[in-house]
Amino acid sequence: MEVNCLTLKDLINPRQSRLDFAIEDGENAQKENIFVDRSRMAPKTPIKNEPIDLSKQKIFTPERNPITPVKLVDRQQAEPWTPTANLKVLISAASPDIRDREKKKGLFRPIENKDGAFTDSLQLDVVGDSAVDEFEKQRPSRKQKSLGLLCQKFLARYPSYPLSTEKTTISLDEVAVSLGVERRRIYDIVNVLESLHLVSRVAKNQYGWHGRQSLPKTLRSLQRLGEEQKYEEQMAHLQQKELELMDYKLGERKKDGCPDSQDQQLLDFSEPDYPSSSANSRKDKSLRIMSQKFVMLFLVSKTKIVTLDVAAKILIEESQDTPDHSKFKTKVRRLYDIANVLTSLALIKKVHVTEERGRKPAFKWIGPVDFSSSDEELVDVSASVLPELKRETYGQIQVCAKQRLARHGSFSTVQASERIQRKVNSEPSSPYKEEQGSGGYSLEIGSLAAVYRQKIEDSSQRKAFVSKRVMPPSGSLDPAAPFHGLSVDSEYSANPLPHQVFSVAQTDLQAFSMQNSLTGRMSVSPALAASDMETLKPALLAGQPVVYVPSTSLFMLYGSLQEGLSPGSSSGSERDPSTPSVQKRLGEEKRPQEEEPATKRQSRDYEDSPLALVVPKKPSESTVVASPRTPHNSGSVPLEDIHMEAQVSAAEEPSAKATANCFVSSEWGNPSGDTEIEKSSKENESTKEPSLQQYLYVQSPAGLNGFNVLLSGGQNPHAVGPPSGQLPSLSIPCMVLPSPTLGSFPVLYSPTMARPLSSAPGALPNAGPVNFGLPGLGSTAHLLIGPANMVNPKSSALPSADPQLQGPLSLNMSPEMPRSHNIIQPESPVYAGHPVPIVKLQQSPVPVTPKSIRRTHRETFFKTPGSLGDPVLRRRERNLTRNTSSAQRRLEIPSSEAD
DNA sequence: TGTTCCCGCCAACGA
DNA sequence: TCGTTGGCGGGAACA
């Protein structure tokens, strides 16, 4: 009924309805958040190129607006107003949000219609209370109007990495109208963006869009500034003061028994040292400045976590404001505004810092962290560990380096490659010359799950490398992809995303250190943990069978994966404004996947599947053969392959897969299935190491949001069984469960797991459950390792039956996985001549439609003569389970090193 | 009840 | 003078 009324009215006189709307809003039309109605005015999401004449919109008054509008800004008005056309425009042009609003609007419209074509502001008076109530009910929720969501919409309008020749001008008026909000809101967004140089003011009401091109540079500068400002010290000081204060308040008086005067000051903001606020200028308090300072705090913070109260206090000090409570509140409000925008940019995410004194709202930096190093530095860093890196790993680094150079630098990918190549050529310790066997791989799920060789005896050199070698979160799994597609960025980082969705991802295992639990290999090197503390990067050492550290990485991974979907992944590409909202997408993610088409499922798997880490053995030709593309695999060719097929050349594929070692692949489709395929093929090639499956449960340490990681280490049918001489993959389904769920599980070690490990010196016996001490996790930390079928609830489903349904996310780690430090990486001739692995990020979670197919990075660096012929196949499947409460990850790690 | 942050008043700014 | 910009804080939605 209501809908009919609405339609009827619109059909009769669509323009009229618009007028009605204006009237309804009355004077507040310009002040209020009128996007609801404005959407009607601009049913079609305005594009940059569609200037909107505000002047015309401002005359939406019955008096001034002729029945027949002189000129309609909306395309919809220019079209014939047939019932069908009108309806079409309204529905098709509108975003989900807009549709919702339309719906709501519709509920209200019947009343308007009552009084005829023309209504005036008084019309509202005749609206019954019930109608008003109805309207109220239908009104967009607070969240729908949040700045974060608005920012996403804003960002969705522009490409993350616009072409240098592409000059995009932003008209605040236009944006405000198109987004249906008052300009005031746009200012908030633009100010923050401007602080990061994503935009710059061109003229009154006009901003220029720069995108993320210079973001790394900007962040680098901010970090430098932050260091100069000694923000870190300030934060530490404040935190210390707070801590002391809280202790005092909690009755834990200090030995002197007297409350510290400083504490008191902190408590009541009566700090006398603060200069008068009179000295502040309006500009000093600008959101722009605040935003930059806020970002600086993250950049200089070791934990990359900043609590709002600390940030607010520092800002108050900085602004020389009188530290009263009111000021504090105001600062916090502004910080939320800033945080919303930064969150939309996927630079930070909301977290809570739980301390003895309670939970405190805070934000964690999830943006790039390696911007501090220049392109040259990056290469240098890579080179610094060359002696310790195997060719493959090195190649991965090259890829990363190239990627970065291409993205962050002002050069093209080719140029980046050349630069790197030059660097390599001049590097005497090139991996080509010095390949070493000992060591494992560390998988940093953190930013991109880049795989690095982990030397057992970490050296300072390695530490530096590890700490530095952090891929920007924005770095999609697809190295070739632009840093971030705006659509992607905004989407996956969307404010409105249900937290549970990222429950796993938001978990951080800061100090995860296991002392060679298994054969002294199942551990995250303390060095790594320590060095990576800042970034809270999880690390998985190939040499150490199972070490999974959930963290932001997952979050970022998710984002990266989604990024893969982003149409605008390629540099300079335009974002697709129509990209579904994160919320919507997430909602879909939660839906059962059973009935979805493979292609669709793939995308879903991508998001829903448990995360699987695949650490393939050393690449070999056999692996190449094992490629999913082989005929026998055709039946169950992973979607990813399909994608690859569509996107990658046959020659590249092998390398691409090999590169999985370096990056988390975005292969969503049927991870397990994929694995199986690979396995089957590999089995034919004399897989010496049976796939291992184990569960590794790690209770998150304090401060990690109470999340635990449960990795399945049991034998997994899907586990890849690499051929002998190859590094078998270890399939390790895992789940991440909230601490409370698992309580304090003892570490169980599954015999199955022992097998592979046992082969290596120091491997754990196949004995029963074993408790692994996780120093970094505290006493409560436990490791639960067992057969997949034993623990993982999902694992049952995971199996071959329909792997895609399970779609565990898997990461393929680098091939070489020496079980023991004594084991030397096989430097088979083949391998020696082996091309550097290439990062391949395949699939996009999106269905494989021509449109969805994006370029994935599949370039190979430093292909040696022999490289072309011996592709290393590394299957990497990864699925991220976005279950509300848990995520399952599947780890495939080369069970052993073949000889 | 505390957190989060929308909303819009109104003053600074600047053409 | 007037339009733009944006600081600011009340107060309501939300958790």
Side-chain angles (χ1 to χ4, degrees):
Chain A
M1 282 278 287
E2 297 156 349
V3 173
N4 291 336
C5 291
L6 167 61
T7 301
L8 179 62
K9 175 171 183 178
D10 289 344
L11 295 177
I12 293 171
N13 191 338
R15 293 161 197 138
Q16 186 55 56
S17 66
R18 189 172 304 161
L19 291 175
D20 290 344
F21 154 59
I23 294 166
E24 289 171 22
D25 280 357
E27 301 175 359
N28 295 325
Q30 298 301 319
K31 297 176 182 177
E32 265 296 347
N33 189 337
I34 57 177
F35 67 88
V36 174
D37 297 291
R38 288 277 173 80
S39 65
R40 276 172 89 22
M41 298 161 73
K44 180 176 115 185
T45 301
I47 308 174
K48 317 170 237 188
N49 299 327
E50 289 183 272
I52 295 174
D53 188 339
L54 287 180
S55 62
K56 293 188 176 73
Q57 295 184 359
K58 290 182 178 179
I59 60 173
F60 280 157
T61 60
E63 300 77 15
R64 294 160 128 185
N65 236 340
I67 294 176
T68 300
V70 176
K71 195 174 186 177
L72 296 175
V73 178
D74 301 326
R75 181 178 118 194
Q76 135 185 26
Q77 293 181 333
E79 299 173 348
W81 288 104
T82 64
T84 302
N86 181 41
L87 197 57
K88 267 188 180 177
V89 172
L90 289 175
I91 296 174
S92 66
S95 67
D97 273 358
I98 293 176
R99 280 196 287 272
D100 287 344
R101 295 195 292 264
E102 286 299 328
K103 221 173 177 180
K104 291 161 189 172
K105 175 79 178 174
L107 294 174
F108 199 44
R109 191 152 305 135
I111 297 163
E112 299 173 21
N113 293 333
K114 261 197 286 188
D115 294 305
F118 262 91
T119 59
D120 56 34
S121 59
L122 294 177
Q123 185 162 22
L124 284 176
D125 296 336
V126 302
V127 175
D129 290 342
S130 60
V132 174
D133 292 342
E134 185 70 18
F135 179 64
E136 286 299 313
K137 290 177 186 175
Q138 300 299 322
R139 214 173 46 175
S141 71
R142 191 185 177 87
K143 275 189 176 179
Q144 288 177 298
K145 293 187 283 186
S146 72
L147 195 63
L149 193 56
L150 180 62
C151 185
Q152 286 179 55
K153 292 175 182 175
F154 179 93
L155 293 173
R157 297 166 57 88
Y158 313 97
S160 295
Y161 296 88
L163 298 173
S164 56
T165 57
E166 182 181 9
K167 298 287 182 183
T168 303
T169 301
I170 301 172
S171 165
L172 297 188
D173 282 335
E174 177 188 331
V175 173
V177 172
S178 66
L179 297 180
V181 298
E182 62 173 306
R183 204 161 49 185
R184 175 70 192 79
R185 304 280 76 77
I186 301 301
Y187 288 139
D188 288 338
I189 294 172
V190 167
N191 281 332
V192 176
L193 295 180
E194 188 178 7
S195 72
L196 296 176
H197 298 165
L198 268 66
V199 301
S200 63
R201 193 163 184 275
V202 174
K204 179 189 291 185
N205 213 14
Q206 292 281 313
Y207 276 80
W209 172 258
H210 305 312
R212 289 171 176 265
Q213 302 288 20
S214 60
L215 184 58
K217 188 178 176 184
T218 302
L219 294 177
R220 194 184 316 153
S221 299
L222 290 177
Q223 184 181 48
R224 217 170 282 149
L225 276 173
E227 290 168 351
E228 290 173 4
Q229 296 285 322
K230 299 191 186 305
Y231 277 137
E232 190 174 358
E233 292 175 22
Q234 287 186 56
M235 284 193 288
H237 180 61
L238 280 173
Q239 286 167 345
Q240 178 57 31
K241 284 167 70 178
E242 266 193 87
L243 188 63
E244 293 172 357
L245 176 62
M246 289 311 299
D247 287 345
Y248 170 73
K249 291 176 73 177
L250 292 173
E252 297 176 26
R253 289 168 178 275
K254 299 173 189 172
K255 292 177 182 179
D256 57 57
C258 295
D260 189 301
S261 60
Q262 271 195 325
D263 293 341
Q264 196 54 48
Q265 290 172 352
L266 197 151
L267 180 64
D268 60 18
F269 298 93
S270 59
E271 185 99 49
D273 297 338
Y274 291 102
S276 165
S277 60
S278 60
N280 307 337
S281 71
R282 185 182 173 90
K283 283 189 175 180
D284 289 339
K285 297 179 181 178
S286 76
L287 203 67
R288 218 171 288 125
I289 300 300
M290 279 185 68
S291 175
Q292 291 189 332
K293 289 180 177 176
F294 190 40
V295 169
M296 280 184 222
L297 294 180
F298 287 105
L299 299 180
V300 302
S301 167
K302 283 194 162 46
T303 61
K304 297 293 180 235
I305 294 176
V306 176
T307 57
L308 287 180
D309 58 343
V310 168
K313 286 166 187 170
I314 289 177
L315 289 172
I316 289 173
E317 287 189 46
E318 289 270 313
S319 64
Q320 301 186 329
D321 260 335
T322 301
D324 57 43
H325 188 66
S326 174
K327 285 284 188 296
F328 179 76
K329 268 184 68 176
T330 297
K331 287 294 181 192
V332 170
R333 286 186 190 122
R334 300 289 82 77
L335 286 174
Y336 274 120
D337 289 342
I338 295 168
N340 274 328
V341 176
L342 296 180
T343 298
S344 292
L345 287 169
L347 293 179
I348 64 173
K349 71 174 182 182
K350 181 76 194 300
V351 298
H352 275 99
V353 174
T354 303
E355 301 172 335
E356 296 173 21
R357 42 193 189 281
R359 252 164 63 112
K360 292 167 65 177
F363 287 87
K364 182 184 187 315
W365 182 260
I366 60 172
V369 293
D370 63 345
F371 48 79
S372 58
S373 59
S374 67
D375 50 80
E376 287 301 321
E377 288 173 336
L378 177 79
V379 175
D380 288 339
V381 169
S382 299
S384 69
V385 291
L386 290 180
E388 300 179 322
L389 299 172
K390 294 202 70 173
R391 182 179 301 104
E392 184 172 348
T393 300
Y394 183 74
Q396 292 162 353
I397 293 172
Q398 300 304 314
V399 173
C400 295
K402 181 181 107 174
Q403 190 182 343
R404 282 196 47 209
L405 289 177
R407 286 178 180 167
H408 306 171
S410 54
F411 12 50
S412 66
T413 298
V414 174
Q415 291 175 311
S417 294
E418 294 173 351
R419 288 179 68 123
I420 296 171
Q421 184 64 66
R422 282 200 299 276
K423 187 71 182 180
V424 170
N425 291 337
S426 63
E427 174 55 55
S429 58
S430 165
Y432 293 95
K433 303 172 184 173
E434 298 184 40
E435 288 190 6
Q436 299 183 355
S438 66
Y441 282 105
S442 68
L443 173 60
E444 287 191 29
I445 300 172
S447 301
L448 285 182
V451 180
Y452 299 104
R453 173 94 170 284
Q454 167 75 35
K455 199 168 185 178
I456 301 304
E457 306 299 335
D458 63 80
S459 63
S460 58
Q461 192 176 40
R462 170 164 289 292
K463 283 182 181 178
F465 172 73
V466 173
S467 63
K468 277 193 170 185
R469 184 66 210 98
V470 178
M471 291 298 292
S474 53
S476 68
L477 297 178
D478 178 351
F483 209 40
H484 260 309
L486 274 181
S487 59
V488 173
D489 293 344
S490 58
E491 285 182 14
Y492 82 75
S493 62
N495 229 2
L497 292 180
H499 284 221
Q500 59 268 33
V501 171
F502 292 122
S503 61
V504 173
Q506 295 183 5
T507 300
D508 293 301
L509 202 52
Q510 298 185 29
F512 185 101
S513 171
M514 297 195 297
Q515 294 290 358
N516 302 322
S517 302
L518 296 177
T519 80
R521 314 209 102 335
M522 176 170 239
S523 70
V524 170
S525 92
L528 174 59
S531 62
D532 217 15
M533 233 355 218
E534 299 185 28
T535 57
L536 302 178
K537 301 297 173 190
L540 176 58
L541 302 183
Q544 294 68 32
V546 188
V547 177
Y548 175 69
V549 182
S551 95
T552 310
S553 349
L554 287 184
F555 179 90
M556 295 188 285
L557 172 60
Y558 177 75
S560 295
L561 294 177
Q562 286 219 343
E563 196 172 55
L565 296 176
S566 171
S569 64
S570 63
S571 71
S573 63
E574 295 280 342
R575 307 246 289 329
D576 180 0
S578 64
T579 302
S581 69
V582 179
Q583 286 175 304
K584 183 175 183 179
R585 190 177 292 182
L586 289 174
E588 291 175 350
E589 291 174 8
K590 294 178 181 177
R591 288 200 292 265
Q593 310 167 13
E594 292 84 40
E595 302 175 2
E596 297 182 8
T599 53
K600 257 192 175 178
R601 201 184 308 155
Q602 176 180 6
S603 65
R604 193 155 322 312
D605 284 344
Y606 184 90
E607 301 168 341
D608 294 341
S609 320
L611 173 64
L613 298 179
V614 179
V615 182
K617 283 180 65 179
K618 184 177 181 175
S620 73
E621 297 192 326
S622 62
T623 43
V624 175
V625 175
S627 173
R629 298 171 65 180
T630 57
H632 64 284
N633 293 331
S634 62
S636 55
V637 175
L639 295 175
E640 64 211 87
D641 289 333
I642 295 173
H643 285 185
M644 289 180 69
E645 298 276 348
Q647 312 170 31
V648 183
S649 66
E652 290 177 322
E653 186 172 9
S655 60
K657 288 181 179 178
T659 53
N661 298 323
C662 182
F663 299 92
V664 175
S665 76
S666 54
E667 297 174 2
W668 296 103
N670 154 7
S672 55
D674 193 5
T675 304
E676 237 170 29
I677 293 169
E678 192 174 344
K679 178 182 179 181
S680 63
S681 61
K682 287 183 179 178
E683 285 176 347
N684 296 332
E685 312 214 327
S686 71
T687 299
K688 291 179 180 179
E689 297 282 347
S691 61
L692 299 177
Q693 186 171 46
Q694 52 196 239
Y695 284 99
L696 196 158
Y697 164 70
V698 179
Q699 187 169 43
S700 66
L704 296 186
N705 296 337
F707 280 99
N708 298 300
V709 181
L710 178 60
L711 303 179
S712 169
Q715 195 131 33
N716 189 329
H718 306 293
V720 175
S724 61
Q726 308 305 319
L727 290 175
S729 299
L730 174 59
S731 217
I732 305 174
C734 60
M735 297 177 67
V736 175
L737 306 175
S739 302
T741 306
L742 295 176
S744 50
F745 271 63
V747 176
L748 300 179
Y749 177 73
S750 169
T752 57
M753 177 182 171
R755 203 183 343 173
L757 294 172
S758 63
S759 64
L764 285 177
N766 294 337
V770 175
N771 272 308
F772 295 94
L774 301 179
L777 297 180
S779 59
T780 57
H782 295 285
L783 201 58
L784 176 59
I785 301 174
N789 50 16
M790 281 173 56
V791 184
N792 192 336
K794 272 196 162 186
S795 65
S796 60
L798 193 90
S800 47
D802 184 344
Q804 294 193 8
L805 291 179
Q806 283 293 326
L809 172 66
S810 62
L811 296 175
N812 277 317
M813 290 182 71
S814 162
E816 313 147 342
M817 297 261 313
R819 289 234 245 24
S820 72
H821 29 298
N822 296 329
I823 294 177
I824 295 176
Q825 300 295 321
E827 303 293 308
S828 68
V830 173
Y831 191 87
H834 206 32
V836 178
I838 296 172
V839 175
K840 174 182 185 174
L841 286 187
Q842 348 201 339
Q843 46 272 23
S844 38
V846 176
V848 186
T849 61
K851 192 178 180 179
S852 67
I853 295 174
R854 295 141 144 267
R855 285 198 57 187
T856 58
H857 180 73
R858 34 199 79 94
E859 294 178 21
T860 302
F861 268 107
F862 307 112
K863 289 182 181 176
T864 60
S867 66
L868 296 176
D870 75 76
V872 178
L873 293 183
R874 283 301 166 258
R875 257 282 169 251
R876 234 143 271 217
E877 330 156 44
R878 251 193 244 132
N879 290 294
L880 208 63
T881 298
R882 299 284 171 222
N883 284 338
T884 54
S885 62
S886 69
Q888 184 174 48
R889 293 176 183 67
R890 183 184 158 103
L891 286 176
E892 287 198 4
I893 301 172
S895 59
S896 71
E897 200 136 291
D899 293 8

